[in-house]
Amino acid sequence: MADQQDAQTRQSLIEYPCDFPIKVMGARVDGFAQAVIEVVLRHAPDFEPAGAEMRPSSKGNYLAVTCTFRAVSQVQVDAMYRELTAHPMVKVVL
């Protein structure tokens, strides 16, 4: 609770609303990209899944999914980041 209040009161260097890219990396397994998109849609319902960019690693073991969504607040971005980093299929969120 205190974290949400701190996030709402601290100054952000980002002016909202804005287009915000978030890159999520994980093992290249079935369902990874869909799992990422589902989390993004929970926090940004207007996100268009067809706009997600996917790029495999050089050896093909990992997949990076970049979703650019319309961010309306730092609280929204922080909540999405927390859910993505807690997901068992996700290795890194940038």
Side-chain angles (χ1 to χ4, degrees):
M1 184 73 160
D3 288 340
Q4 286 182 338
Q5 289 173 341
D6 290 344
Q8 290 173 343
T9 57
R10 74 175 182 243
Q11 286 283 29
S12 176
L13 298 176
I14 301 171
E15 289 186 29
Y16 295 97
C18 66
D19 290 336
F20 193 94
I22 193 162
K23 182 180 280 191
V24 185
M25 292 177 263
R28 191 174 180 186
V29 296
D30 289 342
F32 173 69
Q34 185 60 37
V36 169
I37 290 170
E38 287 171 3
V39 172
V40 172
L41 283 170
R42 272 197 289 281
H43 296 276
D46 58 342
F47 173 70
E48 180 54 53
E53 298 175 29
M54 291 173 232
R55 184 174 179 185
S57 65
S58 59
K59 293 183 181 176
N61 297 327
Y62 295 93
L63 182 66
V65 180
T66 302
C67 299
T68 301
F69 64 97
R70 191 72 176 161
V72 295
S73 70
Q74 185 67 45
V75 172
Q76 175 197 30
V77 174
D78 290 347
M80 183 184 300
Y81 179 84
R82 277 192 300 273
E83 185 173 349
L84 285 166
T85 56
H87 197 286
M89 295 175 86
V90 173
K91 302 291 185 198
V92 179
V93 181
L94 304 173

